[in-house]
Amino acid sequence: MSLIKRGAPFSFASLALVVLVLSGCRGGTADAPSEAAVSVRVAAVTGGQVEEIPLRFSGIVRAAQRATLTFQLSGTLRERPVELGQNVKPGDVLARLYNPALEPARDSAAARLEELKTQFDQAQREWERSSRLHQRGVVSEQNLEQIAARRDALRASMATAEASLAEATRLLEESVLKAPFAGQVEALLVERDEFVSAGQPVIRLSSPLGREVEVRVPAHLLSHVRVGQELPVWSVQDRNRDAENGTVIEIAQGSSIRGELHPVLVSLPPQSLGSGEPVEVGITPVRASAMTVPLLAVVRNDSGTSVFRVDDATARQVPVKIDRVIGERVMVHPGELQAGDQVVYAGTTRLVDGDRVEIR
C-alpha cells in the first residue's frame, strides 16, 4: 500500500507535463500554415450579375455612308446621265440644272471686273505722272491726294467685283451635281425637265463598303449597352440563319421627354446583311443579384467574419460583411468575392490562412 501511494503523485505530475508540452506545441504552430493538405469541402459563391432574356428591337439595314444630294439653287433639271442602281465614282456628274440667270450673272461680273481693272490701271498711271510733276512743283499736294484717293477707291471696287465674280462662278458650278464618294445610285427623286427648288432632294447615293442598323430603345435600357459592345443581329427574312455580331458605335443620350425612344446605332460586319433588309437587334438586360455563401462557410474571430476561398489548392482567408441570413445561406457584400468562387464550408476549424487543401 505504501508503494502505491508513493507512485500516484508521480503519475499525475507526468500527465500534467505531457499536457503542457502538447499545448505548447499546438499553440506555437496555430498561426503557421500546415504542410499537409487539409481535406475540406467547398461550395460556389452565387449571385453577382444575372443576364435576362434578350429583348429584340426591329430595324432596317442601311449603308453606313449615304447621302441625299440636293441643289443649292432652283431651276429645271436639264440632264441626268445616271440610272437607278448605277455605280459611280467620286466627281462623276449625276445631274445638271438649268437656270437662265446664272451664266449672264457670271459674264456680267467678269465684264465689271475687267472694266474696273482698266480704270485702276489708268488711275495708277495718272498718279505716277502727277507724282513726278509734284516733285517739280507743277502739281499741288491737294491734286495729288485726290488722284491717289480715286485710285484707291478703284482698287476697293475691283476687290468687290472679284468677290462678285467668284460668287457667280460658284453658283454656276452648283448647277452641276457631282458624286461626293464612290457608291451606287439608290434613288432618283426628280425626273428630267422637272422644276427643282433649292434644297429639294434629287438623288440618293449610298456606299457598299459598310452596313449599319439603327434601333430605338426605351430610356431604361440605355444603361445596358455601351459603345464597342457586341450585340446579336437576326435576319427577319431567314429565321434559321445564325445571328450576326454587330458592334454598338453610337448611343443617344436620355432626354426628359417621357416615353421617348432613343436611337442606338449598330455597325454590321462586311458582307453580312444587305441594305434594306429587316433585322432584329438583341439587347440583354443585366441585373444585380444578391451574393450568397453557405452559412457553414462563415468563420467568426476577433477581427470579424470571414470565409476561406480556395485558390490553386490553397485556402485564403477573405473578410466578408454579412447582410442577412436566408435559410442555409448568408447574403454578403461582394468585397473581394466574385460569383463562382469556391469557399470552404466543411473543415474550416482546421484551417489557417495559406493552408494547402484537398477538396473532397
Side-chain angles (χ1 to χ4, degrees):
M1 291 296 292
S2 61
L3 187 60
I4 294 175
K5 289 180 180 180
R6 284 195 301 270
F10 174 80
S11 300
F12 285 120
S14 301
L15 179 60
L17 180 60
V18 171
V19 170
L20 289 176
V21 170
L22 292 176
S23 301
C25 294
R26 180 175 179 83
T29 59
D31 297 331
S34 176
E35 294 182 358
V38 181
S39 180
V40 297
R41 291 183 179 180
V42 296
V45 178
T46 62
Q49 299 292 333
V50 178
E51 293 186 354
E52 299 180 356
I53 299 175
L55 303 177
R56 298 193 179 195
F57 298 88
S58 301
I60 302 295
V61 177
R62 66 189 185 189
Q65 186 179 19
R66 60 196 181 279
T68 301
L69 306 180
T70 64
F71 289 105
Q72 295 187 11
L73 43 87
S74 58
T76 304
L77 190 64
R78 171 180 288 181
E79 299 179 15
R80 198 193 63 192
V82 295
E83 299 295 336
L84 188 63
Q86 179 177 336
N87 293 322
V88 296
K89 297 179 295 184
D92 286 353
V93 176
L94 305 179
R96 195 182 301 273
L97 193 71
Y98 172 71
N99 188 316
L102 296 179
E103 291 188 7
R106 182 200 57 183
D107 296 341
S108 176
R112 176 59 178 168
L113 179 60
E114 289 298 327
E115 179 184 0
L116 290 174
K117 283 183 177 180
T118 302
Q119 293 178 5
F120 175 78
D121 292 340
Q122 182 181 358
Q124 178 66 23
R125 290 191 298 268
E126 183 178 357
W127 180 84
E128 291 175 355
R129 287 194 301 269
S130 298
S131 296
R132 290 193 295 268
L133 294 176
H134 174 68
Q135 294 176 357
R136 299 176 184 177
V138 178
V139 177
S140 64
E141 183 73 23
Q142 182 179 2
N143 290 338
L144 184 62
E145 290 179 355
Q146 291 177 352
I147 296 172
R150 180 173 176 273
R151 180 202 59 186
D152 294 340
L154 288 172
R155 181 187 288 113
S157 299
M158 190 169 59
T160 303
E162 289 177 349
S164 299
L165 177 59
E167 181 182 3
T169 303
R170 283 195 300 269
L171 287 176
L172 187 60
E173 292 175 351
E174 288 295 332
S175 65
V176 180
L177 200 61
K178 297 182 179 180
F181 54 84
Q184 188 179 53
V185 178
E186 195 174 77
L188 300 173
L189 306 175
V190 179
E191 296 297 331
R192 185 176 177 181
D193 296 330
E194 285 188 13
F195 180 79
V196 180
S197 301
Q200 178 181 347
V202 177
I203 294 177
R204 192 163 62 240
L205 193 66
S206 64
S207 172
L209 298 181
R211 293 287 184 267
E212 65 185 17
V213 58
E214 180 183 301
V215 294
R216 294 184 174 270
V217 303
H220 71 275
L221 287 179
L222 294 179
S223 59
H224 297 280
V225 293
R226 65 183 186 278
V227 175
Q229 179 182 357
E230 290 189 352
L231 299 178
V233 181
W234 295 276
S235 174
V236 175
Q237 298 175 347
D238 187 3
R239 294 291 184 178
N240 296 325
R241 181 175 178 176
D242 294 336
E244 301 286 349
N245 288 327
T247 305
V248 178
I249 56 177
E250 291 182 13
I251 301 175
Q253 298 296 323
S255 66
S256 59
I257 302 178
R258 183 177 181 180
E260 183 180 11
L261 299 179
H262 307 278
V264 174
L265 195 60
V266 180
S267 176
L268 300 176
Q271 309 299 328
S272 58
L273 296 166
S275 181
E277 186 173 348
V279 295
E280 291 178 341
V281 178
I283 297 179
T284 304
V286 179
R287 60 181 177 85
S289 177
M291 188 168 292
T292 65
V293 298
L295 179 61
L296 297 176
V298 179
V299 178
R300 295 182 179 274
N301 50 32
D302 295 339
S303 59
T305 54
S306 60
V307 296
F308 284 100
R309 182 180 62 195
V310 177
D311 297 328
D312 297 331
T314 303
R316 299 297 181 187
Q317 193 167 9
V318 179
V320 294
K321 185 178 180 182
I322 298 177
D323 192 358
R324 63 178 182 270
V325 178
I326 306 175
E328 296 181 355
R329 299 187 71 86
V330 179
M331 184 184 298
V332 297
H333 292 276
E336 299 180 18
L337 291 180
Q338 296 182 358
D341 286 348
Q342 300 292 321
V343 295
V344 177
Y345 73 90
T348 56
T349 57
R350 296 172 293 167
L351 285 178
V352 295
D353 188 22
D355 274 351
R356 293 180 62 251
V357 295
E358 178 184 359
I359 301 175
R360 290 185 289 165

PDB file of all heavy atoms in Angstrom, residues 231-264:
ATOM      1  N   LEU A 231     -23.599  43.026 -80.105  1.00  0.00           N
ATOM      2  CA  LEU A 231     -24.989  42.636 -79.942  1.00  0.00           C
ATOM      3  C   LEU A 231     -25.381  41.668 -81.060  1.00  0.00           C
ATOM      4  O   LEU A 231     -24.927  41.821 -82.198  1.00  0.00           O
ATOM      5  CB  LEU A 231     -25.911  43.863 -79.987  1.00  0.00           C
ATOM      6  CG  LEU A 231     -25.700  44.937 -78.913  1.00  0.00           C
ATOM      7  CD1 LEU A 231     -26.664  46.092 -79.135  1.00  0.00           C
ATOM      8  CD2 LEU A 231     -25.888  44.353 -77.521  1.00  0.00           C
ATOM      9  N   PRO A 232     -26.222  40.686 -80.771  1.00  0.00           N
ATOM     10  CA  PRO A 232     -26.674  39.775 -81.830  1.00  0.00           C
ATOM     11  C   PRO A 232     -27.678  40.462 -82.751  1.00  0.00           C
ATOM     12  O   PRO A 232     -28.541  41.221 -82.293  1.00  0.00           O
ATOM     13  CB  PRO A 232     -27.318  38.628 -81.040  1.00  0.00           C
ATOM     14  CG  PRO A 232     -27.754  39.251 -79.754  1.00  0.00           C
ATOM     15  CD  PRO A 232     -26.748  40.326 -79.440  1.00  0.00           C
ATOM     16  N   VAL A 233     -27.548  40.187 -84.058  1.00  0.00           N
ATOM     17  CA  VAL A 233     -28.454  40.748 -85.060  1.00  0.00           C
ATOM     18  C   VAL A 233     -29.017  39.590 -85.874  1.00  0.00           C
ATOM     19  O   VAL A 233     -28.267  38.843 -86.513  1.00  0.00           O
ATOM     20  CB  VAL A 233     -27.728  41.751 -85.978  1.00  0.00           C
ATOM     21  CG1 VAL A 233     -28.706  42.342 -86.991  1.00  0.00           C
ATOM     22  CG2 VAL A 233     -27.081  42.867 -85.159  1.00  0.00           C
ATOM     23  N   TRP A 234     -30.352  39.425 -85.841  1.00  0.00           N
ATOM     24  CA  TRP A 234     -31.012  38.341 -86.550  1.00  0.00           C
ATOM     25  C   TRP A 234     -31.713  38.860 -87.798  1.00  0.00           C
ATOM     26  O   TRP A 234     -32.292  39.954 -87.781  1.00  0.00           O
ATOM     27  CB  TRP A 234     -32.053  37.657 -85.662  1.00  0.00           C
ATOM     28  CG  TRP A 234     -31.490  36.952 -84.471  1.00  0.00           C
ATOM     29  CD1 TRP A 234     -30.977  35.690 -84.419  1.00  0.00           C
ATOM     30  CD2 TRP A 234     -31.393  37.461 -83.137  1.00  0.00           C
ATOM     31  NE1 TRP A 234     -30.567  35.387 -83.145  1.00  0.00           N
ATOM     32  CE2 TRP A 234     -30.809  36.451 -82.329  1.00  0.00           C
ATOM     33  CE3 TRP A 234     -31.743  38.677 -82.539  1.00  0.00           C
ATOM     34  CZ2 TRP A 234     -30.574  36.616 -80.977  1.00  0.00           C
ATOM     35  CZ3 TRP A 234     -31.506  38.854 -81.193  1.00  0.00           C
ATOM     36  CH2 TRP A 234     -30.925  37.832 -80.419  1.00  0.00           C
ATOM     37  N   SER A 235     -31.668  38.074 -88.848  1.00  0.00           N
ATOM     38  CA  SER A 235     -32.402  38.395 -90.066  1.00  0.00           C
ATOM     39  C   SER A 235     -33.858  37.991 -89.895  1.00  0.00           C
ATOM     40  O   SER A 235     -34.162  36.868 -89.475  1.00  0.00           O
ATOM     41  CB  SER A 235     -31.790  37.675 -91.266  1.00  0.00           C
ATOM     42  OG  SER A 235     -32.584  37.866 -92.415  1.00  0.00           O
ATOM     43  N   VAL A 236     -34.766  38.900 -90.222  1.00  0.00           N
ATOM     44  CA  VAL A 236     -36.194  38.597 -90.112  1.00  0.00           C
ATOM     45  C   VAL A 236     -36.644  37.692 -91.251  1.00  0.00           C
ATOM     46  O   VAL A 236     -37.509  36.833 -91.074  1.00  0.00           O
ATOM     47  CB  VAL A 236     -37.005  39.911 -90.093  1.00  0.00           C
ATOM     48  CG1 VAL A 236     -38.506  39.631 -90.113  1.00  0.00           C
ATOM     49  CG2 VAL A 236     -36.641  40.725 -88.859  1.00  0.00           C
ATOM     50  N   GLN A 237     -36.031  37.846 -92.416  1.00  0.00           N
ATOM     51  CA  GLN A 237     -36.449  37.065 -93.579  1.00  0.00           C
ATOM     52  C   GLN A 237     -35.995  35.616 -93.495  1.00  0.00           C
ATOM     53  O   GLN A 237     -36.610  34.734 -94.099  1.00  0.00           O
ATOM     54  CB  GLN A 237     -35.900  37.720 -94.849  1.00  0.00           C
ATOM     55  CG  GLN A 237     -36.436  39.124 -95.083  1.00  0.00           C
ATOM     56  CD  GLN A 237     -35.800  39.802 -96.269  1.00  0.00           C
ATOM     57  OE1 GLN A 237     -34.784  39.337 -96.785  1.00  0.00           O
ATOM     58  NE2 GLN A 237     -36.377  40.904 -96.716  1.00  0.00           N
ATOM     59  N   ASP A 238     -34.904  35.345 -92.769  1.00  0.00           N
ATOM     60  CA  ASP A 238     -34.384  33.979 -92.658  1.00  0.00           C
ATOM     61  C   ASP A 238     -34.185  33.658 -91.180  1.00  0.00           C
ATOM     62  O   ASP A 238     -33.135  33.955 -90.596  1.00  0.00           O
ATOM     63  CB  ASP A 238     -33.068  33.846 -93.427  1.00  0.00           C
ATOM     64  CG  ASP A 238     -32.563  32.400 -93.488  1.00  0.00           C
ATOM     65  OD1 ASP A 238     -33.280  31.512 -92.968  1.00  0.00           O
ATOM     66  OD2 ASP A 238     -31.483  32.172 -94.060  1.00  0.00           O
ATOM     67  N   ARG A 239     -35.201  33.060 -90.571  1.00  0.00           N
ATOM     68  CA  ARG A 239     -35.145  32.785 -89.137  1.00  0.00           C
ATOM     69  C   ARG A 239     -34.155  31.683 -88.800  1.00  0.00           C
ATOM     70  O   ARG A 239     -33.697  31.591 -87.656  1.00  0.00           O
ATOM     71  CB  ARG A 239     -36.538  32.377 -88.639  1.00  0.00           C
ATOM     72  CG  ARG A 239     -37.573  33.497 -88.722  1.00  0.00           C
ATOM     73  CD  ARG A 239     -37.257  34.589 -87.729  1.00  0.00           C
ATOM     74  NE  ARG A 239     -38.286  35.624 -87.710  1.00  0.00           N
ATOM     75  CZ  ARG A 239     -38.272  36.667 -86.896  1.00  0.00           C
ATOM     76  NH1 ARG A 239     -37.272  36.807 -86.019  1.00  0.00           N
ATOM     77  NH2 ARG A 239     -39.220  37.582 -86.938  1.00  0.00           N
ATOM     78  N   ASN A 240     -33.821  30.839 -89.743  1.00  0.00           N
ATOM     79  CA  ASN A 240     -32.879  29.745 -89.485  1.00  0.00           C
ATOM     80  C   ASN A 240     -31.424  30.193 -89.576  1.00  0.00           C
ATOM     81  O   ASN A 240     -30.521  29.419 -89.268  1.00  0.00           O
ATOM     82  CB  ASN A 240     -33.115  28.604 -90.479  1.00  0.00           C
ATOM     83  CG  ASN A 240     -34.484  27.969 -90.308  1.00  0.00           C
ATOM     84  OD1 ASN A 240     -34.980  27.858 -89.183  1.00  0.00           O
ATOM     85  ND2 ASN A 240     -35.108  27.565 -91.415  1.00  0.00           N
ATOM     86  N   ARG A 241     -31.201  31.399 -89.993  1.00  0.00           N
ATOM     87  CA  ARG A 241     -29.835  31.898 -90.145  1.00  0.00           C
ATOM     88  C   ARG A 241     -29.267  32.284 -88.779  1.00  0.00           C
ATOM     89  O   ARG A 241     -29.973  32.832 -87.917  1.00  0.00           O
ATOM     90  CB  ARG A 241     -29.838  33.117 -91.074  1.00  0.00           C
ATOM     91  CG  ARG A 241     -28.476  33.710 -91.339  1.00  0.00           C
ATOM     92  CD  ARG A 241     -28.601  34.824 -92.367  1.00  0.00           C
ATOM     93  NE  ARG A 241     -27.316  35.461 -92.624  1.00  0.00           N
ATOM     94  CZ  ARG A 241     -27.126  36.411 -93.535  1.00  0.00           C
ATOM     95  NH1 ARG A 241     -28.142  36.807 -94.288  1.00  0.00           N
ATOM     96  NH2 ARG A 241     -25.939  36.950 -93.705  1.00  0.00           N
ATOM     97  N   ASP A 242     -27.999  31.982 -88.574  1.00  0.00           N
ATOM     98  CA  ASP A 242     -27.338  32.346 -87.326  1.00  0.00           C
ATOM     99  C   ASP A 242     -27.246  33.864 -87.192  1.00  0.00           C
ATOM    100  O   ASP A 242     -27.144  34.588 -88.184  1.00  0.00           O
ATOM    101  CB  ASP A 242     -25.943  31.735 -87.258  1.00  0.00           C
ATOM    102  CG  ASP A 242     -25.976  30.217 -87.176  1.00  0.00           C
ATOM    103  OD1 ASP A 242     -27.006  29.685 -86.719  1.00  0.00           O
ATOM    104  OD2 ASP A 242     -24.991  29.586 -87.584  1.00  0.00           O
ATOM    105  N   ALA A 243     -27.272  34.310 -85.957  1.00  0.00           N
ATOM    106  CA  ALA A 243     -27.197  35.744 -85.695  1.00  0.00           C
ATOM    107  C   ALA A 243     -25.812  36.292 -86.035  1.00  0.00           C
ATOM    108  O   ALA A 243     -24.789  35.634 -85.797  1.00  0.00           O
ATOM    109  CB  ALA A 243     -27.531  36.036 -84.237  1.00  0.00           C
ATOM    110  N   GLU A 244     -25.787  37.489 -86.593  1.00  0.00           N
ATOM    111  CA  GLU A 244     -24.534  38.194 -86.828  1.00  0.00           C
ATOM    112  C   GLU A 244     -24.189  39.008 -85.582  1.00  0.00           C
ATOM    113  O   GLU A 244     -25.071  39.421 -84.822  1.00  0.00           O
ATOM    114  CB  GLU A 244     -24.655  39.126 -88.041  1.00  0.00           C
ATOM    115  CG  GLU A 244     -25.017  38.427 -89.338  1.00  0.00           C
ATOM    116  CD  GLU A 244     -23.852  37.640 -89.933  1.00  0.00           C
ATOM    117  OE1 GLU A 244     -22.721  37.820 -89.440  1.00  0.00           O
ATOM    118  OE2 GLU A 244     -24.088  36.864 -90.865  1.00  0.00           O
ATOM    119  N   ASN A 245     -22.897  39.246 -85.381  1.00  0.00           N
ATOM    120  CA  ASN A 245     -22.450  40.047 -84.243  1.00  0.00           C
ATOM    121  C   ASN A 245     -22.221  41.481 -84.692  1.00  0.00           C
ATOM    122  O   ASN A 245     -21.275  41.775 -85.425  1.00  0.00           O
ATOM    123  CB  ASN A 245     -21.161  39.472 -83.649  1.00  0.00           C
ATOM    124  CG  ASN A 245     -21.401  38.182 -82.898  1.00  0.00           C
ATOM    125  OD1 ASN A 245     -22.450  37.999 -82.294  1.00  0.00           O
ATOM    126  ND2 ASN A 245     -20.434  37.279 -82.929  1.00  0.00           N
ATOM    127  N   GLY A 246     -23.122  42.362 -84.288  1.00  0.00           N
ATOM    128  CA  GLY A 246     -22.964  43.784 -84.574  1.00  0.00           C
ATOM    129  C   GLY A 246     -22.254  44.496 -83.433  1.00  0.00           C
ATOM    130  O   GLY A 246     -22.202  44.001 -82.301  1.00  0.00           O
ATOM    131  N   THR A 247     -21.707  45.673 -83.722  1.00  0.00           N
ATOM    132  CA  THR A 247     -20.959  46.451 -82.728  1.00  0.00           C
ATOM    133  C   THR A 247     -21.623  47.801 -82.538  1.00  0.00           C
ATOM    134  O   THR A 247     -21.883  48.508 -83.515  1.00  0.00           O
ATOM    135  CB  THR A 247     -19.496  46.647 -83.164  1.00  0.00           C
ATOM    136  OG1 THR A 247     -18.902  45.375 -83.427  1.00  0.00           O
ATOM    137  CG2 THR A 247     -18.704  47.365 -82.078  1.00  0.00           C
ATOM    138  N   VAL A 248     -21.889  48.165 -81.293  1.00  0.00           N
ATOM    139  CA  VAL A 248     -22.507  49.451 -80.992  1.00  0.00           C
ATOM    140  C   VAL A 248     -21.487  50.567 -81.249  1.00  0.00           C
ATOM    141  O   VAL A 248     -20.377  50.536 -80.705  1.00  0.00           O
ATOM    142  CB  VAL A 248     -22.996  49.502 -79.529  1.00  0.00           C
ATOM    143  CG1 VAL A 248     -23.597  50.860 -79.205  1.00  0.00           C
ATOM    144  CG2 VAL A 248     -24.002  48.397 -79.273  1.00  0.00           C
ATOM    145  N   ILE A 249     -21.866  51.534 -82.087  1.00  0.00           N
ATOM    146  CA  ILE A 249     -20.956  52.641 -82.396  1.00  0.00           C
ATOM    147  C   ILE A 249     -21.476  53.990 -81.898  1.00  0.00           C
ATOM    148  O   ILE A 249     -20.701  54.916 -81.693  1.00  0.00           O
ATOM    149  CB  ILE A 249     -20.675  52.717 -83.921  1.00  0.00           C
ATOM    150  CG1 ILE A 249     -21.988  52.832 -84.699  1.00  0.00           C
ATOM    151  CG2 ILE A 249     -19.888  51.514 -84.375  1.00  0.00           C
ATOM    152  CD1 ILE A 249     -21.776  52.979 -86.205  1.00  0.00           C
ATOM    153  N   GLU A 250     -22.787  54.101 -81.687  1.00  0.00           N
ATOM    154  CA  GLU A 250     -23.354  55.352 -81.178  1.00  0.00           C
ATOM    155  C   GLU A 250     -24.539  55.037 -80.275  1.00  0.00           C
ATOM    156  O   GLU A 250     -25.318  54.124 -80.557  1.00  0.00           O
ATOM    157  CB  GLU A 250     -23.806  56.283 -82.314  1.00  0.00           C
ATOM    158  CG  GLU A 250     -22.672  56.878 -83.134  1.00  0.00           C
ATOM    159  CD  GLU A 250     -23.172  57.828 -84.197  1.00  0.00           C
ATOM    160  OE1 GLU A 250     -24.369  58.214 -84.124  1.00  0.00           O
ATOM    161  OE2 GLU A 250     -22.405  58.183 -85.095  1.00  0.00           O
ATOM    162  N   ILE A 251     -24.651  55.813 -79.187  1.00  0.00           N
ATOM    163  CA  ILE A 251     -25.777  55.671 -78.254  1.00  0.00           C
ATOM    164  C   ILE A 251     -26.306  57.065 -77.961  1.00  0.00           C
ATOM    165  O   ILE A 251     -25.547  57.964 -77.587  1.00  0.00           O
ATOM    166  CB  ILE A 251     -25.350  54.981 -76.947  1.00  0.00           C
ATOM    167  CG1 ILE A 251     -24.766  53.592 -77.230  1.00  0.00           C
ATOM    168  CG2 ILE A 251     -26.531  54.865 -75.993  1.00  0.00           C
ATOM    169  CD1 ILE A 251     -24.220  52.910 -75.992  1.00  0.00           C
ATOM    170  N   ALA A 252     -27.612  57.243 -78.148  1.00  0.00           N
ATOM    171  CA  ALA A 252     -28.219  58.538 -77.855  1.00  0.00           C
ATOM    172  C   ALA A 252     -28.294  58.756 -76.351  1.00  0.00           C
ATOM    173  O   ALA A 252     -28.392  57.801 -75.573  1.00  0.00           O
ATOM    174  CB  ALA A 252     -29.613  58.618 -78.473  1.00  0.00           C
ATOM    175  N   GLN A 253     -28.261  60.021 -75.946  1.00  0.00           N
ATOM    176  CA  GLN A 253     -28.406  60.359 -74.544  1.00  0.00           C
ATOM    177  C   GLN A 253     -29.883  60.405 -74.169  1.00  0.00           C
ATOM    178  O   GLN A 253     -30.740  60.723 -74.991  1.00  0.00           O
ATOM    179  CB  GLN A 253     -27.755  61.718 -74.244  1.00  0.00           C
ATOM    180  CG  GLN A 253     -26.270  61.744 -74.505  1.00  0.00           C
ATOM    181  CD  GLN A 253     -25.510  60.809 -73.590  1.00  0.00           C
ATOM    182  OE1 GLN A 253     -25.840  60.649 -72.417  1.00  0.00           O
ATOM    183  NE2 GLN A 253     -24.476  60.165 -74.120  1.00  0.00           N
ATOM    184  N   GLY A 254     -30.173  60.047 -72.920  1.00  0.00           N
ATOM    185  CA  GLY A 254     -31.552  60.106 -72.458  1.00  0.00           C
ATOM    186  C   GLY A 254     -32.061  61.538 -72.400  1.00  0.00           C
ATOM    187  O   GLY A 254     -31.293  62.494 -72.210  1.00  0.00           O
ATOM    188  N   SER A 255     -33.344  61.719 -72.599  1.00  0.00           N
ATOM    189  CA  SER A 255     -33.950  63.043 -72.566  1.00  0.00           C
ATOM    190  C   SER A 255     -35.034  63.080 -71.491  1.00  0.00           C
ATOM    191  O   SER A 255     -35.370  62.073 -70.878  1.00  0.00           O
ATOM    192  CB  SER A 255     -34.549  63.391 -73.933  1.00  0.00           C
ATOM    193  OG  SER A 255     -35.626  62.537 -74.241  1.00  0.00           O
ATOM    194  N   SER A 256     -35.585  64.271 -71.300  1.00  0.00           N
ATOM    195  CA  SER A 256     -36.612  64.446 -70.264  1.00  0.00           C
ATOM    196  C   SER A 256     -38.007  64.167 -70.797  1.00  0.00           C
ATOM    197  O   SER A 256     -38.977  64.280 -70.043  1.00  0.00           O
ATOM    198  CB  SER A 256     -36.540  65.881 -69.733  1.00  0.00           C
ATOM    199  OG  SER A 256     -36.736  66.818 -70.796  1.00  0.00           O
ATOM    200  N   ILE A 257     -38.139  63.823 -72.073  1.00  0.00           N
ATOM    201  CA  ILE A 257     -39.457  63.548 -72.643  1.00  0.00           C
ATOM    202  C   ILE A 257     -39.891  62.143 -72.235  1.00  0.00           C
ATOM    203  O   ILE A 257     -39.195  61.165 -72.518  1.00  0.00           O
ATOM    204  CB  ILE A 257     -39.431  63.687 -74.175  1.00  0.00           C
ATOM    205  CG1 ILE A 257     -38.983  65.098 -74.564  1.00  0.00           C
ATOM    206  CG2 ILE A 257     -40.806  63.382 -74.762  1.00  0.00           C
ATOM    207  CD1 ILE A 257     -38.869  65.315 -76.050  1.00  0.00           C
ATOM    208  N   ARG A 258     -41.010  62.049 -71.603  1.00  0.00           N
ATOM    209  CA  ARG A 258     -41.470  60.769 -71.069  1.00  0.00           C
ATOM    210  C   ARG A 258     -41.892  59.837 -72.202  1.00  0.00           C
ATOM    211  O   ARG A 258     -42.601  60.232 -73.122  1.00  0.00           O
ATOM    212  CB  ARG A 258     -42.640  60.988 -70.128  1.00  0.00           C
ATOM    213  CG  ARG A 258     -43.149  59.720 -69.463  1.00  0.00           C
ATOM    214  CD  ARG A 258     -44.259  60.039 -68.495  1.00  0.00           C
ATOM    215  NE  ARG A 258     -44.753  58.839 -67.824  1.00  0.00           N
ATOM    216  CZ  ARG A 258     -45.732  58.827 -66.929  1.00  0.00           C
ATOM    217  NH1 ARG A 258     -46.319  59.971 -66.601  1.00  0.00           N
ATOM    218  NH2 ARG A 258     -46.110  57.691 -66.376  1.00  0.00           N
ATOM    219  N   GLY A 259     -41.411  58.591 -72.127  1.00  0.00           N
ATOM    220  CA  GLY A 259     -41.805  57.589 -73.100  1.00  0.00           C
ATOM    221  C   GLY A 259     -41.085  57.671 -74.432  1.00  0.00           C
ATOM    222  O   GLY A 259     -41.380  56.871 -75.324  1.00  0.00           O
ATOM    223  N   GLU A 260     -40.152  58.588 -74.597  1.00  0.00           N
ATOM    224  CA  GLU A 260     -39.461  58.710 -75.883  1.00  0.00           C
ATOM    225  C   GLU A 260     -38.462  57.563 -76.063  1.00  0.00           C
ATOM    226  O   GLU A 260     -37.770  57.171 -75.117  1.00  0.00           O
ATOM    227  CB  GLU A 260     -38.734  60.053 -75.969  1.00  0.00           C
ATOM    228  CG  GLU A 260     -38.061  60.292 -77.304  1.00  0.00           C
ATOM    229  CD  GLU A 260     -37.354  61.624 -77.366  1.00  0.00           C
ATOM    230  OE1 GLU A 260     -37.210  62.265 -76.302  1.00  0.00           O
ATOM    231  OE2 GLU A 260     -36.935  62.028 -78.459  1.00  0.00           O
ATOM    232  N   LEU A 261     -38.386  57.044 -77.288  1.00  0.00           N
ATOM    233  CA  LEU A 261     -37.414  56.010 -77.618  1.00  0.00           C
ATOM    234  C   LEU A 261     -36.132  56.663 -78.125  1.00  0.00           C
ATOM    235  O   LEU A 261     -36.176  57.691 -78.808  1.00  0.00           O
ATOM    236  CB  LEU A 261     -37.985  55.064 -78.673  1.00  0.00           C
ATOM    237  CG  LEU A 261     -39.252  54.294 -78.255  1.00  0.00           C
ATOM    238  CD1 LEU A 261     -39.728  53.422 -79.403  1.00  0.00           C
ATOM    239  CD2 LEU A 261     -39.001  53.450 -77.021  1.00  0.00           C
ATOM    240  N   HIS A 262     -35.011  56.037 -77.816  1.00  0.00           N
ATOM    241  CA  HIS A 262     -33.712  56.631 -78.114  1.00  0.00           C
ATOM    242  C   HIS A 262     -32.947  55.737 -79.086  1.00  0.00           C
ATOM    243  O   HIS A 262     -32.911  54.511 -78.914  1.00  0.00           O
ATOM    244  CB  HIS A 262     -32.913  56.829 -76.825  1.00  0.00           C
ATOM    245  CG  HIS A 262     -33.660  57.590 -75.777  1.00  0.00           C
ATOM    246  ND1 HIS A 262     -33.726  58.954 -75.779  1.00  0.00           N
ATOM    247  CD2 HIS A 262     -34.406  57.165 -74.721  1.00  0.00           C
ATOM    248  CE1 HIS A 262     -34.466  59.359 -74.750  1.00  0.00           C
ATOM    249  NE2 HIS A 262     -34.883  58.274 -74.101  1.00  0.00           N
ATOM    250  N   PRO A 263     -32.332  56.327 -80.120  1.00  0.00           N
ATOM    251  CA  PRO A 263     -31.639  55.522 -81.135  1.00  0.00           C
ATOM    252  C   PRO A 263     -30.313  54.959 -80.631  1.00  0.00           C
ATOM    253  O   PRO A 263     -29.567  55.625 -79.911  1.00  0.00           O
ATOM    254  CB  PRO A 263     -31.414  56.514 -82.281  1.00  0.00           C
ATOM    255  CG  PRO A 263     -31.447  57.858 -81.641  1.00  0.00           C
ATOM    256  CD  PRO A 263     -32.357  57.751 -80.458  1.00  0.00           C
ATOM    257  N   VAL A 264     -30.067  53.715 -81.018  1.00  0.00           N
ATOM    258  CA  VAL A 264     -28.785  53.050 -80.792  1.00  0.00           C
ATOM    259  C   VAL A 264     -28.305  52.548 -82.151  1.00  0.00           C
ATOM    260  O   VAL A 264     -29.018  51.806 -82.833  1.00  0.00           O
ATOM    261  CB  VAL A 264     -28.925  51.871 -79.800  1.00  0.00           C
ATOM    262  CG1 VAL A 264     -27.607  51.110 -79.688  1.00  0.00           C
ATOM    263  CG2 VAL A 264     -29.367  52.373 -78.431  1.00  0.00           C
TER     264      VAL A 264
END
